[in-house]
Each structure stands twice: as C-alpha cells, then as structure tokens.
Amino acid sequence: MDRNPFTPGFGLTPPVLAMQGTPVEDFAEALEGTRPAGHRSVLISGARGVGKTVLLSQFHDVAEEVGWEVIALHTSSDSLADELRGRAVHALRDLDPEARDSRVTSGSISALGAGASLGREISDRYEGEDVPLAVLLDRLAALASLRGGGLLVLLDEVQSADPDQVHVITQHMQDLAQRGHAAGFVAAGVRAGVDELLANPKTTFLRRAHQVEIGSVDVGTAAQVIMTTVADTDKHITPEAAVRAGEISQGYPYLIQVVGAEAWQRSGTSGTIEIEDVEGAREFAIDAMVHNVHGPALRDINGRKDEYLLAMLEDDGPSAVMDVARRMGIDQNNQNVYRSRLIADEMIRPAGRGHVELAMPYLREALIRRRDGGRSALAHGPARVARPVRASRPVQGDRPASGSRPGRRSERGSGR
C-alpha cells in the first residue's frame, strides 16, 4: 500500500498544487526570456496556510531546472547582506575556475640531480571580506549567465525582515539588472505584513515587483486536487467523497491537505476512501485549523478588535456593521476604525454594503473556543484518540466474526 500522499504541513510541497492561475509557468517563461524581465522580480502575498512558501519552493525548483543560480535567504539572519555574501562566496568557489590560484614559492634539486621538489602556495580569491558584495554578485551573475542562466535571490516571511536590510538586498539586485545581468528577486509574506512593508519608503523596488496574490480555490478545484492526488496511488476516492472533502476544506490549501490526509488514514487498508472517511476527518481538520492557523493569528488580536469579532458571533452569517457598533456600545465612526483594522489583519472582509463576515474557514469555531475557554484553548494541537479506521472489505464468502461489524476495527492512534 502506498504512503499517504497528502502533506498537511506548512512549507511542504504537495504532489498537486491548489492554486489559481499559472504563476509557476509564468515565472519560468520570465526566466527563459519569453516574458518581460520585470516578471523575474515577484512579491507573493496571501493569508497563512494558502501556500506562499510552497509557491516560493516551486520558483526555486524551476529556476534551478533552467540553469539559474539560486540563493535563499532567511529573515532569522542577523544580517541579510552578510548571509548573501556568504552564500555568494560559496557558489563562486564552485563555479569560478579562477576561484583558487596556485603559484610556486620555492624549489630544490637533490644533490645527485635525480629529483626536484617545488613549494606551492594556494590562494583563495574570495577569502576574507575585502571584495565588495556588489563585485561578488556581479561575478556570480556573469558566471551563471555563461551557462544560460542567471542569479535568483529568494526571501520567505519578508514581513518579518528589517526594511533597511531588504532595501540593501533589493538595491543590489536592481543594480545587477541595470548592468545587463539576468537577475531576479522573489519574496513571500503574509498580506497584512507585506502591505505594511510596502508603505516603507525604502521598499520602492518591491512596490514595482510583479504581484502574485494567492488564496483559496473553489470547491470544485479542491475536489479535483484531492481526486488527482489519490489517483496517483493504489487507492481510489469516490466522487461524492472528493466533493465532500472539498466542501469541508472550503478550498483553503492547507485544509485540502489536512482533510485528504486524515480521510486517507481513516480508510485504513481499504482500497477506497468513502464519504464516511471524509466526514470523520472534519473535526480533526477544524482542530488543525484552529490550533495551527487561527491560534497564532489571534495572539495579537485584543481589546476592541477582540470585542468586534465576538460581537459578530451573534450572527449566523454576515453581520451588519450597525449591529456590531450597537453591541459594542460605540458610534459608527469608531466601528469603522476597528472594521478597517480587522480587514487589514485578514480577520474579516466586506460582505456587501454595510456588512462584514469572518474571512477564514473555521475562524468562528476558533473565536467560540477562545471566548468559552480563554486563550489557552487555542494553545494545543489536535489530539487523536481511538479513532475508527476501516479495514479492507471481506472478500465474497468470508464472514465477519460474531458480534463485529463487517470491515471495521478500532485502532488507537498517537497524538501528532
């Protein structure tokens, strides 16, 4: 039996992407020169769990496939420029045939003239920090171009980076492009943080980058992603189960993987994932969303913004902003202030004139748990205990043991 093909973890690349449009193909064309060079600089934004890091990884892979040198930076670095320098030097030592130089420093001949020995000194062209970063990048981009590629720099979680450091990196990449080198820069981050970063006057380069916003897909696409993922394995999923899985996921990429993975597990050794397996995965998927996505996002939501969200819980669907203001005991102008802030936080979104709604799947469940159990109710991951797992159906002529249900058994799982 094949391994579970779903990847319900942040940053893990699933076998089938749930994404609108063709951003990977578009980027590949830009690298190869069939699209404008400006499309080699990309800013990816979206909510948590929609696949920003996965898309960044896809850009990394496609760039390497077409011969580009790729350097991925980390916002946890004390200095992005120092990390870029170190990575550039490492790449140059591999690519540059002149990276090391050897010269004779001494020689001797034996007394009988039967042999000679030479002393050599090996020097590293890129040792130390005397070479300016601009020179290093220029050399690296030139060498990458000789093999038909270019230089690409990636930065994930850009909203967490120091704007001054981002400015240094993007300025170097812009200079490379202006000197005629094939160069690109791709960054990804949470939409609200990216918007704040772009407001900084030192991020002009990012404001001019090609913008790629990613989010949820429709239920039909989600169902197709799940069916295609399963189709590459020994299992089969019924159309009804795939559609129901898409509905539970609400087209949210992270949830597509969670629901698919849990339904797969629940199907046990059976060759078919049935709708009962998908229904059984629903509560686990909600728990995963509440703890892994909403828990971290709600940590910074407090005060009046928290009150606003709780006031919306009184409605089953979209809330009238006038009702929210009345419940909070504030006037319409103050309501507009908190409404705007929560929209920027991607907690709510407009839902027609004078109405708002919760913006993320199962955010209502997270808010109810926090209201009833406090912030600690969102602090722990989903627990798994004694869930039913289906065994393969008995072949014709076999009979289940007395007192048991056909094709079912109980299995105790461990916590994730």
Side-chain angles (χ1 to χ4, degrees):
M1 183 67 68
D2 288 331
R3 291 184 178 180
N4 195 321
F6 294 94
T7 56
F10 295 104
L12 300 178
T13 301
V16 182
L17 296 181
M19 201 161 290
Q20 296 176 337
T22 56
V24 178
E25 292 84 350
D26 295 345
F27 185 65
E29 291 175 0
L31 296 181
E32 293 173 334
T34 56
R35 277 182 179 266
H39 286 241
R40 294 170 179 168
S41 296
V42 182
L43 182 58
I44 303 168
S45 63
R48 295 173 179 83
V50 296
K52 299 181 299 298
T53 301
V54 169
L55 183 56
L56 198 67
S57 296
Q58 290 290 298
F59 281 11
H60 181 289
D61 293 345
V62 76
E64 286 191 334
E65 288 174 6
V66 296
W68 280 57
E69 186 67 29
V70 182
I71 294 178
L73 301 179
H74 304 85
T75 54
S76 59
S77 300
D78 292 334
S79 169
L80 292 176
D82 287 347
E83 184 184 11
L84 180 57
R85 167 184 288 278
R87 298 293 302 277
V89 167
H90 180 77
L92 282 167
R93 285 172 176 158
D94 287 337
L95 293 178
D96 192 349
E98 301 176 3
R100 290 176 175 84
D101 182 44
S102 173
R103 66 186 182 88
V104 176
T105 57
S106 63
S108 64
I109 300 176
S110 66
L112 298 178
S117 64
L118 298 176
R120 289 185 176 275
E121 180 180 273
I122 306 297
S123 61
D124 187 337
R125 178 177 180 179
Y126 301 110
E127 187 175 2
E129 299 185 0
D130 295 334
V131 183
L133 178 56
V135 174
L136 294 174
L137 296 177
D138 192 88
R139 177 65 173 166
L140 182 56
L143 290 170
S145 297
L146 289 177
R147 64 181 188 182
L151 176 61
L152 176 66
V153 174
L154 307 178
L155 179 62
D156 200 4
E157 300 293 344
V158 66
Q159 78 281 351
S160 301
D162 182 341
D164 290 335
Q165 294 193 36
V166 174
H167 172 69
V168 170
I169 303 303
T170 56
Q171 188 62 56
H172 279 298
M173 301 311 295
Q174 182 174 339
D175 291 345
L176 286 176
Q178 290 175 345
R179 290 197 295 272
H181 290 298
F185 178 81
V186 182
V190 176
R191 185 181 296 115
V194 167
D195 290 343
E196 183 177 347
L197 181 65
L198 293 181
N200 190 296
K202 292 186 176 181
T203 57
T204 304
F205 178 86
L206 288 180
R207 289 199 290 271
R208 293 199 300 263
H210 181 59
Q211 307 284 321
V212 175
E213 288 197 18
I214 56 178
S216 297
V217 298
D218 60 81
V219 169
T221 299
Q224 188 60 50
V225 167
I226 291 170
M227 291 188 72
T228 305
T229 302
V230 175
D232 290 333
T233 72
D234 292 337
K235 282 186 183 285
H236 167 74
I237 185 169
T238 67
E240 297 80 10
V243 170
R244 182 59 183 140
E247 291 172 347
I248 294 173
S249 75
Q250 298 184 35
Y252 191 77
Y254 170 64
L255 280 175
I256 291 173
Q257 299 301 314
V258 173
V259 175
E262 186 67 8
W264 173 285
Q265 289 295 108
R266 286 177 174 269
S267 68
T269 57
S270 172
T272 302
I273 300 174
E274 306 279 2
I275 195 166
E276 64 189 84
D277 302 313
V278 173
E279 290 291 358
R282 182 176 183 275
E283 287 303 316
F284 182 85
I286 293 175
D287 284 345
M289 189 71 177
V290 167
H291 295 296
N292 298 332
V293 177
H294 297 317
L298 287 170
R299 287 176 191 152
D300 297 327
I301 302 297
N302 46 49
R304 283 297 201 178
K305 290 197 294 186
D306 190 30
E307 290 180 34
Y308 196 108
L309 293 173
L310 294 178
M312 290 178 63
L313 293 181
E314 297 188 28
D315 303 305
D316 292 332
S319 299
V321 294
M322 292 183 63
D323 291 340
V324 173
R326 175 178 52 78
R327 293 164 189 164
M328 294 178 65
I330 59 177
D331 60 33
Q332 198 64 21
N333 288 334
N334 279 326
Q335 178 278 140
N336 284 333
V337 170
Y338 300 114
R339 171 184 176 275
S340 297
R341 291 176 181 174
L342 287 168
I343 289 175
D345 292 332
E346 299 184 50
M347 291 289 153
I348 65 175
R349 62 190 174 202
R353 185 175 180 82
H355 289 75
V356 291
E357 64 183 358
L358 299 176
M360 300 274 281
Y362 306 115
L363 178 55
R364 172 178 294 275
E365 285 77 0
L367 291 169
I368 290 173
R369 293 186 192 187
R370 189 165 84 156
R371 180 194 65 190
D372 297 344
R375 291 178 180 267
S376 61
L378 308 183
H380 305 289
R384 177 181 296 167
V385 292
R387 64 176 183 190
V389 177
R390 289 195 303 117
S392 58
R393 298 183 184 279
V395 298
Q396 189 173 3
D398 288 349
R399 291 186 178 182
S402 176
S404 66
R405 294 180 61 190
R408 300 196 70 85
R409 63 186 173 87
S410 178
E411 176 177 281
R412 184 174 301 275
S414 59
R416 281 185 175 175

